[in-house]
Amino acid sequence: ISLPDTLAIKKHCVNALSQYWPNNLNLIYQLPVVTKQSVPEFKSSLQLESIELPEWAKCGVEGCILVPTECLPNIDTCPREDLWMHIDWFLAVFLLLECWHERLWEEKFGPIHSYSFRLKDWDERVWQHAWVNRIGLFLREWSAKINNKDSKSIFGPLPILKINMTHDVDAIKKTFPIRLKQSIFLIFNSMRSLIKGNYKIAATKIKKAFKFFLGSDDWMVFDKLLREEKDSEIISTFHFYADLRRKNFKRWLIDPGYKINSTEVKKIFSKLINDNHEIGLHPGFESWNDVSNLLAQKKALESACGKNITAVRQHWLRFGWTNTWLAQEGAGLKLDTTLMFNDRPGFRNSSLIRWNPWNPKTGNSFKLEALPSILMDSHLYDYLELNDHERNKEMYSWIQECRDVSGEVAVLWHPHTLSNDYGWSKGFTEILKPIKHSETN
């Protein structure tokens, strides 16, 4: 894949960050941002450089913004405090927003799907903050400084923070494949704890694995979930699996076990529609690069629920930069929230915006929109070893970054984790609090 030209990069980035300049967009185009005169030579992994911002810019982290090293000027004599004037800020936005280094990695080694540990020698600071949004805020302030005016009077108020609650319906009852998968996962995590010397946690997880495998709990928890969301005045998107093909072994083991046209699922649809929730698609494990598979599942879901389906998140976050959005758009889907890591919370593309991603095959933006997800229940309970206080602190730290940059993002909570088998309902109740107030603060 090759970078678009500098004008295309600039236009794409200005449009993607348009929430920060609803008025006088032309002033952003007039900023004296330097542009690289030649295509940068990309390193094999993403590396970042900390850029010190001028005193009047209050949008950095400890006074700085991180950018890919490819955006640095080809000079060694520039004082560090003046380096910000020589950065190709639009290139920085493009490389981060579009995960360009990930795309190059995929081209060379194949898709990582959504496992960050597969990216070797990566500067992990890229996932800690919404650097793209912070650059947008910086450009807004820079333009106001040049025009000797307040940024709000020029561009309008900052956007309202928006946190979208989403649910991937992976199960409505406890099946044998789920017993097997989750029990093995718990045993694997107990081994990790054992290696770290956390013997008490390891023993607890082993005990939980056996209890999970042998127990028989009720996973039909939608009434409880909907009651809590109604009390918090939250409207969510519920993604359903809709592959009606006969199960082979792989699909039996990995994909959800319910049928979209069953009576019990149709009763769930009725409740969701009655409460004005949105229904989206959660296509099977093998669908991530298959437009005909996606289209068949979309049609099956529309037939079962009686609604037009436009939202999607891939099962197991199976995702490839080359084919997934291409297939989703070809199937008529319009909003994807797959962009997130399975094995850690954070900002996979350093952003908190809903945008039309770049399509290198056409040299233009997709019509489909993408919205990053930053956090899901398993991050807090399976991958991080936290007590309730630490878990809440972790959750709020990510949400605070969203608030700091007035961004938009999705979070994911699987309904079946409200069952006693999982016992994750405390975290769900806690995460509803900031979402409830997100569009009023």
Side-chain angles (χ1 to χ4, degrees), residues 1-16 93-100 103 319-326 329 339 349 353-370:
I1 58 174
S2 56
L3 276 176
D5 62 43
T6 55
L7 288 177
I9 286 175
K10 191 173 188 177
K11 181 180 178 181
H12 182 71
C13 296
V14 170
N15 288 340
V93 168
F94 187 87
L95 297 182
L96 294 172
L97 177 66
E98 299 297 335
C99 288
W100 204 254
R103 292 178 188 240
F319 177 84
W321 294 98
T322 306
N323 295 316
T324 302
W325 283 331
L326 202 64
E329 185 170 273
L339 201 60
N349 70 333
I353 59 172
R354 181 192 296 247
W355 93 111
N356 300 94
W358 185 257
N359 182 357
K361 290 188 176 181
T362 63
N364 214 323
S365 302
F366 282 103
K367 293 179 181 178
L368 170 140
E369 289 184 316

Side-chain angles (χ1 to χ4, degrees), residues 34 49-52 67 71-73 75 78-89:
V34 300
E49 183 72 25
S50 180
I51 306 302
E52 186 178 324
V67 301
C71 304
L72 298 177
I75 53 174
C78 180
R80 186 156 187 82
E81 62 271 19
D82 294 334
L83 189 57
W84 67 271
M85 291 185 286
H86 302 275
I87 299 299
D88 189 338
W89 291 106

Side-chain angles (χ1 to χ4, degrees), residues 31 54 56-57 84 139-151 154-155:
L31 281 169
W56 46 262
W84 67 271
L139 296 178
R140 177 183 160 107
E141 291 302 317
W142 188 7
S143 182
K145 181 74 174 176
I146 289 174
N147 289 281
N148 199 29
K149 290 185 178 180
D150 175 69
S151 61
I154 297 177
F155 298 111

Side-chain angles (χ1 to χ4, degrees), residues 236-294:
S236 299
T237 300
F238 290 77
H239 298 103
F240 284 85
Y241 171 74
D243 193 342
L244 296 177
R245 293 177 299 172
R246 186 176 179 178
K247 298 278 191 184
N248 57 25
F249 177 76
K250 189 175 184 180
R251 290 198 288 270
W252 172 83
L253 181 64
I254 296 177
D255 283 345
Y258 59 84
K259 290 288 187 183
I260 202 70
N261 52 6
S262 67
T263 301
E264 53 192 347
V265 174
K266 287 187 175 182
K267 286 180 180 178
I268 296 171
F269 287 151
S270 180
K271 292 176 182 179
L272 298 181
I273 293 169
N274 187 59
D275 283 355
N276 296 316
H277 295 289
E278 184 178 1
I279 295 172
L281 181 63
H282 192 47
F285 188 82
E286 299 171 316
S287 69
W288 63 279
N289 60 355
D290 188 337
V291 63
S292 60
N293 191 331
L294 286 168

